[in-house]
Amino acid sequence: MPPLTSFSTYLSELNHRHVASSASTNSELIEALQNGSLDVAIVHVLTAETQSAGRGQHGRSWQSPRGNVYLSLYHPVHMPISGLLSLIIGLELAKMPVIQTLNEQLKAQGLTPIGVKWANDLGFYQQAQSQCKELSKEQSITDSSVLGSVLDSDVANQRTLPFNKLAGILIEPVTKAGRLVGVVLGIGLNVQAAPKLTTQTSEGMSYQAISLQDINERLPLETRSASLPDLPMLYQQMSKALMAAMTRFEHLGIEQPTGHTYYLDSFLEQFAMMDALSGLRLRVTQDYNNEEKVITGIACGVDTHGCLQLRQDSGKISTLFTGRIDVIY
């Protein structure tokens, strides 16, 4: 790791601090903001080479081997945080130069590109698109109500595709004296090392970890990048992406009371092009009063609030705020 003096001017302007190890960059940054060690009125960035107690969504653990990016950025906010923010962050991260370059090479080889998986991840489902097309052919020649009853009667035995998870997003509000003052955006990006997940460490989620290096090595030798960006360069790319995401989110907040939808329409159009779930058949498991409810259908984008839209076999569109996602085929 190069010394801090070699980090870009851009990062220093964001009050960047780098540590060799942190229990959790999100937790450390939030604590410093709440106890007054850091000014809540300005942006701060904290990065670490490894974490001893990294955190993911819903209290899950985030394994943090060396060679990857663990970055948290604090940004003051003056409006409520909505479900759109994580999708905006995912979209801006997917536009980082390193991912754009890999995606161009993946598409040229007919491989599935890196996309944004609702609601907090970057990655892809291997060969999911072709399998979805086959399912769509079946649906076109089979009565949908019959197909729905057959599929729903055998939910437990449906085959699932694991999600190749490249990065995760953890958004946490920061409050002082009971008032929202800002938000911490935590990103874990697998660069050189993809944690080997066991049944226990994956905590029931249908995914497997993958790194930028893994993806690069899947490409034919003549099309691979000679070298991936180093971690300081990735810190810069990610910080720029997060700052762009906050600007976009603020534009949506300013636009909403006016009744105009220019920024919202632009975001939804761009997100649709990077949606890792689009057109795939999903099984969504939700918890209602400690009872599981399972619904199946085809993912058909997100609504204006960032909720997942699921077209069930009956044709009904369900709007989902949360739930465990499995791609089935």
Side-chain angles (χ1 to χ4, degrees), residues 89-164:
I89 291 170
L91 176 62
E92 294 299 336
L93 289 172
K95 290 160 62 177
M96 291 192 306
V98 62
I99 292 182
Q100 283 189 324
T101 298
L102 284 174
N103 274 351
E104 289 171 3
Q105 296 165 335
L106 288 167
K107 290 176 183 177
Q109 298 301 318
L111 299 173
T112 307
I114 300 160
V116 185
K117 173 182 169 290
W118 182 87
N120 305 96
D121 300 318
L122 257 63
F124 57 89
Y125 288 94
Q126 188 70 24
Q127 300 178 346
Q129 296 293 345
S130 60
Q131 286 158 332
C132 180
K133 289 176 182 177
E134 290 302 314
L135 181 58
S136 296
K137 289 178 184 176
E138 292 177 21
Q139 288 177 305
S140 67
I141 60 175
T142 306
D143 180 79
S144 63
S145 62
V146 175
L147 178 63
S149 63
V150 171
L151 287 170
D152 291 336
S153 68
D154 198 25
V155 166
N157 295 322
Q158 289 167 334
R159 292 179 295 174
T160 62
L161 283 170
F163 178 66
N164 292 277

Coordinates of all heavy atoms in Angstrom, one line a residue, residues 89-164:
I89 N -26.6 4.6 -5.8 CA -25.2 4.3 -5.5 C -24.7 3.1 -6.4 O -23.6 3.1 -7.0 CB -25.0 3.9 -4.0 CG1 -25.2 5.2 -3.2 CG2 -23.6 3.4 -3.7 CD1 -25.3 4.9 -1.7
G90 N -25.5 2.1 -6.4 CA -25.2 0.9 -7.3 C -24.9 1.3 -8.7 O -23.9 0.8 -9.3
L91 N -25.8 2.1 -9.3 CA -25.6 2.6 -10.6 C -24.3 3.3 -10.8 O -23.6 3.1 -11.8 CB -26.8 3.4 -11.0 CG -26.8 4.0 -12.4 CD1 -26.7 2.9 -13.5 CD2 -28.0 5.0 -12.7
E92 N -24.0 4.3 -9.9 CA -22.8 5.1 -10.1 C -21.6 4.2 -9.9 O -20.6 4.4 -10.6 CB -22.8 6.2 -9.1 CG -23.9 7.3 -9.3 CD -23.8 8.0 -10.7 OE1 -22.7 8.0 -11.3 OE2 -24.8 8.5 -11.2
L93 N -21.6 3.2 -9.0 CA -20.5 2.3 -8.9 C -20.3 1.5 -10.1 O -19.1 1.3 -10.5 CB -20.7 1.4 -7.7 CG -20.6 2.0 -6.3 CD1 -21.0 1.0 -5.2 CD2 -19.2 2.6 -6.0
A94 N -21.4 1.1 -10.7 CA -21.3 0.3 -12.0 C -20.7 1.1 -13.1 O -20.3 0.5 -14.1 CB -22.6 -0.3 -12.3
K95 N -20.7 2.4 -13.0 CA -20.2 3.3 -14.0 C -18.7 3.6 -13.8 O -18.1 4.3 -14.6 CB -21.0 4.6 -14.1 CG -22.4 4.4 -14.6 CD -23.4 5.5 -14.3 CE -23.0 6.8 -14.8 NZ -24.0 7.9 -14.5
M96 N -18.1 3.1 -12.7 CA -16.7 3.3 -12.5 C -15.9 2.8 -13.7 O -16.2 1.8 -14.3 CB -16.2 2.6 -11.2 CG -16.8 3.2 -10.0 SD -15.9 2.5 -8.5 CE -16.0 0.8 -8.7
P97 N -14.8 3.5 -14.0 CA -14.0 3.1 -15.2 C -13.6 1.6 -15.2 O -13.6 0.9 -16.2 CB -12.8 4.0 -15.1 CG -13.3 5.2 -14.5 CD -14.3 4.8 -13.5
V98 N -13.2 1.1 -14.0 CA -12.7 -0.3 -13.9 C -13.8 -1.3 -14.3 O -13.6 -2.3 -15.0 CB -12.1 -0.6 -12.5 CG1 -13.2 -0.5 -11.4 CG2 -11.5 -2.1 -12.5
I99 N -15.0 -1.0 -13.9 CA -16.2 -1.9 -14.2 C -16.6 -1.7 -15.6 O -17.0 -2.7 -16.3 CB -17.3 -1.7 -13.2 CG1 -16.8 -2.2 -11.8 CG2 -18.6 -2.4 -13.6 CD1 -17.8 -2.1 -10.7
Q100 N -16.6 -0.5 -16.1 CA -17.0 -0.2 -17.5 C -16.1 -1.0 -18.4 O -16.5 -1.6 -19.4 CB -17.0 1.3 -17.8 CG -18.2 2.1 -17.2 CD -18.2 3.5 -17.8 OE1 -17.2 4.1 -17.9 NE2 -19.4 4.0 -18.0
T101 N -14.8 -0.9 -18.2 CA -13.8 -1.6 -19.0 C -14.1 -3.1 -19.0 O -14.1 -3.8 -20.1 CB -12.4 -1.4 -18.5 OG1 -12.1 0.1 -18.6 CG2 -11.4 -2.1 -19.4
L102 N -14.3 -3.7 -17.8 CA -14.5 -5.1 -17.7 C -15.8 -5.5 -18.4 O -15.9 -6.5 -19.1 CB -14.6 -5.6 -16.3 CG -13.3 -5.7 -15.6 CD1 -13.5 -6.0 -14.1 CD2 -12.4 -6.9 -16.2
N103 N -16.9 -4.7 -18.3 CA -18.1 -4.9 -18.9 C -18.1 -4.9 -20.5 O -18.7 -5.7 -21.1 CB -19.2 -4.0 -18.5 CG -19.9 -4.4 -17.2 OD1 -19.7 -5.6 -16.7 ND2 -20.7 -3.6 -16.6
E104 N -17.3 -4.0 -21.0 CA -17.1 -4.0 -22.4 C -16.5 -5.3 -22.9 O -16.9 -5.8 -23.9 CB -16.2 -2.8 -22.8 CG -16.9 -1.4 -22.7 CD -15.9 -0.3 -22.8 OE1 -14.8 -0.5 -23.1 OE2 -16.4 0.9 -22.7
Q105 N -15.5 -5.8 -22.2 CA -14.8 -7.0 -22.5 C -15.7 -8.2 -22.4 O -15.7 -9.1 -23.2 CB -13.5 -7.2 -21.7 CG -12.5 -6.1 -22.0 CD -11.4 -6.0 -20.9 OE1 -11.6 -6.4 -19.8 NE2 -10.2 -5.5 -21.3
L106 N -16.5 -8.2 -21.3 CA -17.5 -9.3 -21.1 C -18.5 -9.4 -22.2 O -18.8 -10.5 -22.7 CB -18.1 -9.2 -19.7 CG -17.3 -9.4 -18.5 CD1 -18.0 -8.9 -17.2 CD2 -16.9 -10.9 -18.3
K107 N -19.1 -8.2 -22.5 CA -20.1 -8.2 -23.6 C -19.5 -8.7 -24.9 O -20.2 -9.3 -25.7 CB -20.7 -6.8 -23.7 CG -21.5 -6.4 -22.5 CD -22.0 -4.9 -22.6 CE -22.8 -4.5 -21.4 NZ -23.1 -3.1 -21.5
A108 N -18.3 -8.3 -25.2 CA -17.7 -8.7 -26.4 C -17.5 -10.2 -26.5 O -17.5 -10.7 -27.6 CB -16.3 -8.0 -26.6
Q109 N -17.4 -10.9 -25.4 CA -17.3 -12.3 -25.4 C -18.6 -13.0 -25.2 O -18.7 -14.2 -25.0 CB -16.3 -12.7 -24.2 CG -14.9 -12.2 -24.3 CD -14.2 -12.6 -25.6 OE1 -14.3 -13.8 -26.0 NE2 -13.5 -11.7 -26.3
G110 N -19.7 -12.2 -25.2 CA -21.0 -12.8 -25.0 C -21.3 -13.3 -23.6 O -22.2 -14.1 -23.3
L111 N -20.5 -12.7 -22.6 CA -20.7 -13.1 -21.2 C -21.6 -12.0 -20.5 O -21.7 -10.9 -20.9 CB -19.3 -13.1 -20.5 CG -18.4 -14.2 -21.1 CD1 -17.0 -14.1 -20.4 CD2 -18.9 -15.6 -20.9
T112 N -22.2 -12.5 -19.4 CA -23.1 -11.6 -18.6 C -22.3 -10.5 -18.0 O -21.3 -10.8 -17.3 CB -23.8 -12.4 -17.5 OG1 -24.5 -13.5 -18.1 CG2 -24.8 -11.5 -16.8
P113 N -22.6 -9.2 -18.2 CA -21.9 -8.1 -17.6 C -22.2 -7.9 -16.1 O -23.2 -8.4 -15.6 CB -22.3 -6.9 -18.4 CG -23.7 -7.2 -18.8 CD -23.7 -8.7 -19.1
I114 N -21.4 -7.1 -15.4 CA -21.7 -6.8 -14.0 C -22.8 -5.8 -14.0 O -22.9 -4.8 -14.8 CB -20.4 -6.1 -13.4 CG1 -19.2 -7.1 -13.5 CG2 -20.7 -5.6 -12.0 CD1 -17.9 -6.4 -13.3
G115 N -23.8 -6.0 -13.1 CA -24.9 -5.1 -13.0 C -25.3 -4.8 -11.6 O -24.5 -5.2 -10.6
V116 N -26.4 -4.1 -11.4 CA -26.9 -3.8 -10.0 C -28.0 -4.7 -9.6 O -29.0 -4.8 -10.4 CB -27.3 -2.3 -10.0 CG1 -27.7 -1.9 -8.6 CG2 -26.3 -1.4 -10.5
K117 N -27.8 -5.4 -8.5 CA -28.9 -6.3 -8.1 C -29.7 -5.6 -6.9 O -29.1 -5.2 -5.9 CB -28.3 -7.6 -7.6 CG -29.3 -8.5 -6.9 CD -28.7 -9.8 -6.3 CE -29.6 -10.6 -5.4 NZ -29.8 -9.9 -4.1
W118 N -31.0 -5.5 -7.1 CA -31.8 -4.9 -6.1 C -31.6 -5.6 -4.8 O -31.6 -6.9 -4.8 CB -33.3 -4.9 -6.6 CG -34.2 -4.3 -5.6 CD1 -34.6 -3.0 -5.6 CD2 -35.0 -4.9 -4.6 NE1 -35.5 -2.8 -4.6 CE2 -35.8 -4.0 -4.0 CE3 -35.0 -6.3 -4.1 CZ2 -36.6 -4.3 -2.9 CZ3 -35.9 -6.6 -3.1 CH2 -36.7 -5.6 -2.5
A119 N -31.3 -5.0 -3.7 CA -31.3 -3.5 -3.6 C -30.0 -3.0 -3.2 O -29.8 -1.8 -3.2 CB -32.3 -3.1 -2.5
N120 N -29.0 -3.9 -3.0 CA -27.7 -3.4 -2.4 C -26.4 -4.0 -2.9 O -25.4 -3.9 -2.2 CB -27.8 -3.6 -0.8 CG -29.0 -3.0 -0.2 OD1 -29.9 -3.7 0.1 ND2 -28.9 -1.7 0.1
D121 N -26.5 -4.7 -4.1 CA -25.3 -5.4 -4.5 C -24.9 -5.2 -5.9 O -25.8 -4.8 -6.7 CB -25.6 -6.9 -4.3 CG -25.9 -7.4 -2.9 OD1 -25.2 -6.9 -2.0 OD2 -26.8 -8.2 -2.7
L122 N -23.6 -5.4 -6.2 CA -23.1 -5.4 -7.6 C -22.7 -6.8 -7.9 O -22.0 -7.5 -7.1 CB -22.0 -4.5 -7.8 CG -22.2 -3.1 -8.4 CD1 -23.2 -2.3 -7.6 CD2 -20.9 -2.3 -8.6
G123 N -22.9 -7.3 -9.1 CA -22.5 -8.6 -9.6 C -23.3 -9.1 -10.7 O -23.9 -8.3 -11.5
F124 N -23.5 -10.4 -10.9 CA -24.2 -11.0 -12.0 C -24.7 -12.4 -11.7 O -24.1 -13.1 -10.9 CB -23.4 -10.9 -13.3 CG -22.1 -11.6 -13.2 CD1 -22.0 -13.0 -13.5 CD2 -20.9 -10.9 -12.8 CE1 -20.8 -13.6 -13.4 CE2 -19.7 -11.6 -12.7 CZ -19.6 -12.9 -13.0
Y125 N -25.7 -12.8 -12.5 CA -26.1 -14.2 -12.5 C -25.5 -14.9 -13.8 O -25.9 -14.5 -14.9 CB -27.6 -14.3 -12.5 CG -28.2 -14.0 -11.2 CD1 -28.7 -12.7 -10.9 CD2 -28.4 -14.9 -10.2 CE1 -29.2 -12.3 -9.7 CE2 -28.9 -14.6 -8.9 CZ -29.4 -13.3 -8.7 OH -29.9 -12.9 -7.5
Q126 N -24.7 -15.9 -13.6 CA -24.0 -16.5 -14.7 C -25.0 -17.2 -15.6 O -25.8 -18.0 -15.2 CB -23.0 -17.5 -14.2 CG -22.1 -18.1 -15.3 CD -21.1 -17.1 -15.9 OE1 -20.8 -16.1 -15.2 NE2 -20.7 -17.3 -17.1
Q127 N -25.0 -16.8 -16.9 CA -25.9 -17.4 -17.9 C -27.3 -17.4 -17.6 O -28.1 -18.2 -18.1 CB -25.4 -18.9 -18.2 CG -24.0 -19.0 -18.6 CD -23.6 -20.4 -18.8 OE1 -24.2 -21.4 -18.4 NE2 -22.4 -20.6 -19.5
A128 N -27.7 -16.5 -16.7 CA -29.1 -16.5 -16.3 C -30.0 -16.0 -17.5 O -31.2 -16.5 -17.6 CB -29.3 -15.5 -15.1
Q129 N -29.5 -15.1 -18.3 CA -30.4 -14.6 -19.4 C -30.8 -15.6 -20.3 O -32.0 -15.7 -20.7 CB -29.6 -13.5 -20.2 CG -29.2 -12.3 -19.3 CD -30.4 -11.5 -18.9 OE1 -31.5 -11.6 -19.4 NE2 -30.2 -10.6 -17.9
S130 N -29.9 -16.6 -20.8 CA -30.3 -17.6 -21.7 C -31.4 -18.5 -21.1 O -32.3 -19.0 -21.7 CB -29.1 -18.4 -22.2 OG -28.5 -19.0 -21.1
Q131 N -31.2 -18.9 -19.8 CA -32.1 -19.7 -19.1 C -33.5 -19.1 -19.0 O -34.5 -19.7 -19.1 CB -31.6 -20.1 -17.8 CG -30.4 -21.1 -17.9 CD -29.5 -21.2 -16.7 OE1 -29.4 -20.2 -16.0 NE2 -28.9 -22.3 -16.5
C132 N -33.5 -17.8 -18.8 CA -34.7 -17.0 -18.6 C -35.5 -17.0 -20.0 O -36.7 -17.1 -20.0 CB -34.4 -15.6 -18.2 SG -35.9 -14.6 -18.0
K133 N -34.7 -16.9 -21.1 CA -35.3 -16.9 -22.4 C -36.1 -18.2 -22.7 O -37.1 -18.3 -23.2 CB -34.3 -16.6 -23.5 CG -33.8 -15.2 -23.5 CD -32.7 -15.0 -24.5 CE -32.2 -13.6 -24.5 NZ -31.1 -13.4 -25.4
E134 N -35.4 -19.3 -22.2 CA -36.0 -20.6 -22.4 C -37.3 -20.7 -21.6 O -38.3 -21.2 -22.1 CB -35.1 -21.7 -22.0 CG -33.9 -21.9 -22.9 CD -34.3 -22.2 -24.3 OE1 -35.2 -23.1 -24.5 OE2 -33.7 -21.6 -25.2
L135 N -37.3 -20.2 -20.4 CA -38.5 -20.2 -19.6 C -39.6 -19.3 -20.2 O -40.8 -19.7 -20.2 CB -38.2 -19.6 -18.2 CG -39.4 -19.6 -17.2 CD1 -40.0 -21.0 -17.0 CD2 -39.0 -19.0 -15.9
S136 N -39.2 -18.2 -20.8 CA -40.2 -17.3 -21.5 C -40.8 -18.0 -22.6 O -42.0 -17.9 -22.9 CB -39.5 -16.0 -21.9 OG -39.0 -15.3 -20.9
K137 N -40.1 -18.9 -23.4 CA -40.6 -19.6 -24.5 C -41.7 -20.6 -24.0 O -42.8 -20.7 -24.5 CB -39.5 -20.4 -25.2 CG -38.6 -19.6 -26.0 CD -37.5 -20.4 -26.6 CE -36.5 -19.6 -27.4 NZ -35.4 -20.4 -27.9
E138 N -41.4 -21.2 -22.8 CA -42.3 -22.1 -22.2 C -43.6 -21.4 -21.9 O -44.7 -21.9 -22.1 CB -41.8 -22.8 -21.0 CG -40.6 -23.7 -21.3 CD -40.0 -24.3 -20.0 OE1 -40.7 -24.3 -19.0 OE2 -38.9 -24.8 -20.0
Q139 N -43.4 -20.2 -21.3 CA -44.6 -19.4 -20.8 C -45.5 -19.0 -22.0 O -46.7 -18.9 -21.9 CB -44.1 -18.2 -20.1 CG -43.6 -18.6 -18.7 CD -43.1 -17.3 -18.0 OE1 -42.3 -16.6 -18.5 NE2 -43.6 -17.1 -16.8
S140 N -44.8 -18.8 -23.2 CA -45.6 -18.3 -24.3 C -46.5 -19.3 -24.9 O -47.4 -19.0 -25.6 CB -44.6 -17.7 -25.4 OG -43.8 -18.8 -25.9
I141 N -46.1 -20.6 -24.7 CA -46.9 -21.7 -25.2 C -47.7 -22.5 -24.2 O -48.3 -23.5 -24.5 CB -46.0 -22.7 -26.0 CG1 -45.0 -23.3 -25.1 CG2 -45.4 -22.0 -27.2 CD1 -44.1 -24.4 -25.8
T142 N -47.6 -22.0 -22.9 CA -48.3 -22.7 -21.8 C -49.2 -21.8 -21.1 O -48.9 -20.6 -20.9 CB -47.3 -23.3 -20.8 OG1 -46.3 -24.0 -21.5 CG2 -47.9 -24.1 -19.8
D143 N -50.4 -22.2 -20.8 CA -51.4 -21.4 -20.1 C -50.7 -20.9 -18.8 O -50.3 -21.7 -18.0 CB -52.6 -22.2 -19.8 CG -53.6 -21.3 -19.0 OD1 -54.3 -20.5 -19.7 OD2 -53.7 -21.5 -17.8
S144 N -50.7 -19.6 -18.5 CA -50.0 -19.0 -17.4 C -50.6 -19.5 -16.1 O -49.8 -19.7 -15.1 CB -50.0 -17.5 -17.5 OG -51.3 -17.0 -17.4
S145 N -51.9 -19.7 -16.0 CA -52.4 -20.1 -14.7 C -52.0 -21.5 -14.4 O -51.7 -21.9 -13.2 CB -54.0 -20.0 -14.7 OG -54.5 -20.9 -15.7
V146 N -51.9 -22.4 -15.4 CA -51.5 -23.8 -15.2 C -50.0 -23.8 -14.8 O -49.6 -24.5 -13.9 CB -51.7 -24.6 -16.5 CG1 -51.1 -26.0 -16.3 CG2 -53.2 -24.7 -16.8
L147 N -49.2 -23.0 -15.6 CA -47.8 -22.9 -15.3 C -47.6 -22.4 -13.9 O -46.7 -23.0 -13.1 CB -47.1 -22.0 -16.3 CG -45.6 -21.8 -16.0 CD1 -44.8 -23.1 -16.2 CD2 -45.1 -20.8 -17.0
G148 N -48.3 -21.4 -13.4 CA -48.2 -20.9 -12.1 C -48.5 -21.9 -11.0 O -47.7 -22.0 -10.1
S149 N -49.5 -22.7 -11.2 CA -49.9 -23.7 -10.2 C -48.8 -24.8 -10.1 O -48.5 -25.2 -9.0 CB -51.3 -24.3 -10.5 OG -51.2 -25.0 -11.7
V150 N -48.3 -25.2 -11.3 CA -47.2 -26.2 -11.3 C -46.0 -25.7 -10.6 O -45.4 -26.3 -9.7 CB -46.9 -26.6 -12.7 CG1 -45.6 -27.5 -12.7 CG2 -48.0 -27.3 -13.3
L151 N -45.6 -24.4 -10.9 CA -44.3 -23.9 -10.3 C -44.5 -23.7 -8.8 O -43.7 -24.0 -8.0 CB -44.0 -22.5 -11.0 CG -43.4 -22.7 -12.4 CD1 -43.4 -21.3 -13.0 CD2 -42.1 -23.3 -12.4
D152 N -45.6 -23.1 -8.4 CA -45.9 -22.8 -7.0 C -46.0 -24.0 -6.2 O -45.8 -24.0 -5.0 CB -47.1 -21.9 -6.8 CG -46.8 -20.5 -7.4 OD1 -45.6 -20.1 -7.5 OD2 -47.7 -19.8 -7.7
S153 N -46.5 -25.1 -6.8 CA -46.7 -26.3 -6.0 C -45.4 -27.0 -5.7 O -45.3 -27.9 -4.9 CB -47.6 -27.3 -6.8 OG -46.9 -27.8 -8.0
D154 N -44.3 -26.6 -6.4 CA -43.0 -27.3 -6.2 C -41.9 -26.3 -5.9 O -40.8 -26.4 -6.4 CB -42.7 -28.1 -7.5 CG -41.6 -29.2 -7.2 OD1 -41.5 -29.6 -6.0 OD2 -40.9 -29.5 -8.2
V155 N -42.3 -25.2 -5.2 CA -41.3 -24.2 -4.9 C -40.0 -24.7 -4.3 O -38.9 -24.2 -4.6 CB -42.0 -23.1 -4.0 CG1 -40.9 -22.1 -3.5 CG2 -43.0 -22.3 -4.8
A156 N -40.2 -25.6 -3.3 CA -39.0 -26.0 -2.6 C -38.0 -26.8 -3.5 O -36.8 -26.8 -3.2 CB -39.4 -27.0 -1.5
N157 N -38.5 -27.3 -4.6 CA -37.6 -28.1 -5.5 C -37.1 -27.3 -6.7 O -36.4 -27.9 -7.5 CB -38.3 -29.4 -5.9 CG -38.6 -30.3 -4.8 OD1 -37.8 -30.5 -3.9 ND2 -39.7 -31.0 -4.8
Q158 N -37.4 -26.1 -6.8 CA -37.0 -25.3 -7.9 C -35.5 -25.0 -7.8 O -34.9 -24.8 -6.8 CB -37.7 -24.0 -8.0 CG -39.2 -24.2 -8.4 CD -40.0 -22.9 -8.2 OE1 -39.7 -22.1 -7.3 NE2 -41.1 -22.7 -8.9
R159 N -34.8 -25.2 -9.0 CA -33.4 -24.9 -9.0 C -33.1 -23.4 -8.9 O -33.9 -22.6 -9.5 CB -32.8 -25.5 -10.3 CG -32.8 -27.0 -10.3 CD -32.2 -27.5 -11.6 NE -33.0 -27.2 -12.7 CZ -32.7 -27.4 -14.0 NH1 -31.5 -28.0 -14.3 NH2 -33.5 -27.0 -15.0
T160 N -32.1 -23.0 -8.2 CA -31.7 -21.6 -8.1 C -30.3 -21.4 -8.7 O -29.5 -22.2 -8.7 CB -31.8 -21.1 -6.7 OG1 -30.8 -21.9 -5.9 CG2 -33.1 -21.4 -6.1
L161 N -30.1 -20.1 -9.1 CA -28.8 -19.7 -9.6 C -28.2 -18.8 -8.5 O -28.8 -17.9 -8.0 CB -29.0 -18.8 -10.9 CG -29.2 -19.5 -12.2 CD1 -29.6 -18.5 -13.3 CD2 -28.0 -20.4 -12.6
P162 N -26.9 -19.1 -8.2 CA -26.3 -18.2 -7.2 C -25.9 -16.9 -7.8 O -25.6 -16.8 -9.0 CB -25.0 -19.0 -6.9 CG -24.7 -19.9 -8.1 CD -26.1 -20.2 -8.6
F163 N -26.0 -15.9 -7.0 CA -25.6 -14.5 -7.5 C -24.1 -14.4 -7.2 O -23.6 -14.7 -6.2 CB -26.3 -13.5 -6.7 CG -25.9 -12.1 -7.0 CD1 -26.2 -11.5 -8.3 CD2 -25.3 -11.3 -6.1 CE1 -25.9 -10.2 -8.6 CE2 -24.9 -10.0 -6.4 CZ -25.2 -9.4 -7.6
N164 N -23.3 -14.0 -8.3 CA -21.9 -13.7 -8.2 C -21.7 -12.3 -7.6 O -21.8 -11.3 -8.4 CB -21.2 -13.9 -9.5 CG -21.2 -15.3 -10.0 OD1 -20.4 -16.1 -9.6 ND2 -22.2 -15.7 -10.8

